[in-house]
Amino acid sequence: MKNTEIRLLRADEIECRVGTINERGLSLLLYKDARVDQKILDEAFGMYGWERTHQSIEGNLYCTVRIWDSEKAQWIEKQDVGTTSYTEKEKGQASDAFKRACVNVGIGRELYTAPFIWISSSKANIQKRDNRYTTSERFQVREISYNEMREIAAITIVNDRGVVVYEYQEKKNSSKNQNTINRITELQKKELENELKRTGVDIEKVLRRYELKKLDEMTPDIYERAIHGLKNSKSKDRKAA
């Protein structure tokens, strides 16, 4: 393994999923799936140059991705924990843990630099059912490009009819400012703190998971992922019962 650089994701390798939705519109989150991770690991290190293992630690399923370093003649390990899937609990946790471990390797890390993607109700088919807002539309990334910092510089998203519903173009010389502009609001910080208090999860654990040094570095995309995981976690009072 000689300074192998993980390539950036192509548009067709990125999934769009609805984050939040209301009568005004919906937000989208960008994801990669486990098949993409496997393909890029094969490309970068060869089919026999990496392996994955899983283990349960305190009831949580972890995945370790090991990459063979021929120069050092040893395995290099990256590990992360998975979250529960709504449908297939064990399979979902295993897949999620693998995908998170692959982010630690460097696959798809650029997705964390995505802007806040909001599609207004005028561009999305949103219905209200049983006091909940939903959409049957599917969205996909048509084009994406990156800057020299491996950050998303431009992205175009279309609906399932091929109509452009979102476009972003990084302003010239704005990459340094992006980290200070694209941050969560005080209200979102408060909601996150409330969920941390309810679940008993340590803020340091959340920061480590998303490779942040402090809460002020959290972007709207990471916030959506973190709050989703917390809201699906039991209250600390129920855990103790």
Side-chain angles (χ1 to χ4, degrees):
M1 184 174 67
K2 296 183 178 181
N3 298 321
T4 302
E5 183 176 61
I6 302 295
R7 70 168 175 82
L8 297 164
L9 297 178
R10 302 192 307 264
D12 64 313
E13 295 173 325
I14 301 172
E15 294 183 2
C16 296
R17 300 181 190 174
V18 175
T20 59
I21 184 169
N22 55 44
E23 72 278 9
R24 297 185 301 277
L26 57 87
S27 65
L28 291 179
L29 304 176
L30 303 182
Y31 288 85
K32 59 182 174 63
D33 66 23
R35 288 182 294 275
V36 169
D37 289 318
Q38 293 168 352
K39 179 173 65 177
I40 294 179
L41 285 170
D42 284 348
E43 290 176 5
F45 308 109
M47 290 183 62
Y48 305 107
W50 67 276
E51 64 181 26
R52 63 188 278 193
T53 57
H54 291 270
Q55 64 183 130
S56 180
I57 303 176
E58 296 182 352
N60 297 311
L61 190 62
Y62 284 76
C63 177
T64 300
V65 173
R66 306 174 73 213
I67 298 169
W68 180 250
D69 188 328
S70 57
E71 290 184 335
K72 297 179 180 178
Q74 66 181 44
W75 289 96
I76 305 300
E77 299 182 353
K78 300 292 183 178
Q79 185 185 74
D80 214 324
V81 65
T83 56
T84 304
S85 167
Y86 286 111
T87 52
E88 299 174 272
K89 183 177 180 180
E90 293 183 0
K91 181 180 178 182
Q93 277 189 304
S95 177
D96 191 61
F98 174 60
K99 289 184 289 185
R100 290 176 182 274
C102 287
V103 170
N104 293 335
V105 173
I107 302 174
R109 196 174 294 176
E110 60 273 18
L111 297 183
Y112 290 107
T113 70
F116 180 61
I117 302 172
W118 178 259
I119 301 175
S120 68
S121 56
S122 62
K123 295 183 178 181
N125 182 18
I126 297 175
Q127 306 94 32
K128 186 176 183 180
R129 297 176 181 173
D130 299 326
N131 294 320
R132 293 182 59 188
Y133 291 94
T134 63
T135 182
S136 58
E137 285 193 291
R138 297 291 180 267
F139 304 93
Q140 63 185 44
V141 177
R142 189 172 73 181
E143 297 176 357
I144 191 167
S145 62
Y146 306 92
N147 60 26
E148 67 280 1
M149 301 296 292
R150 296 173 66 89
E151 301 167 333
I152 295 175
I155 187 171
T156 301
I157 296 176
V158 299
N159 60 20
D160 43 19
R161 299 184 304 280
V163 178
V164 175
V165 294
Y166 179 85
E167 288 184 289
Y168 166 78
Q169 178 69 52
E170 179 185 65
K171 293 181 180 179
K172 192 174 182 180
N173 299 325
S174 68
S175 60
K176 292 183 179 179
N177 296 329
Q178 184 68 20
N179 286 336
T180 60
I181 296 173
N182 194 22
R183 292 292 179 261
I184 62 175
T185 65
E186 290 301 320
L187 185 62
Q188 289 173 319
K189 286 182 183 179
K190 185 65 176 177
E191 183 178 10
L192 187 65
E193 289 168 357
N194 289 339
E195 284 299 310
L196 290 170
K197 183 177 180 180
R198 179 185 67 80
T199 58
V201 175
D202 186 359
I203 181 62
E204 295 301 323
K205 181 177 180 180
V206 176
L207 295 177
R208 286 195 302 271
R209 172 172 293 184
Y210 298 104
E211 299 184 346
L212 304 175
K213 294 181 180 178
K214 54 185 179 179
L215 185 58
D216 289 336
E217 295 179 354
M218 183 171 285
T219 63
D221 176 66
I222 296 177
Y223 166 80
E224 292 283 358
R225 298 172 189 236
I227 201 71
H228 176 76
L230 288 168
K231 285 185 178 295
N232 284 304
S233 299
K234 294 181 179 179
S235 298
K236 59 181 179 181
D237 295 336
R238 292 181 61 189
K239 292 177 182 177

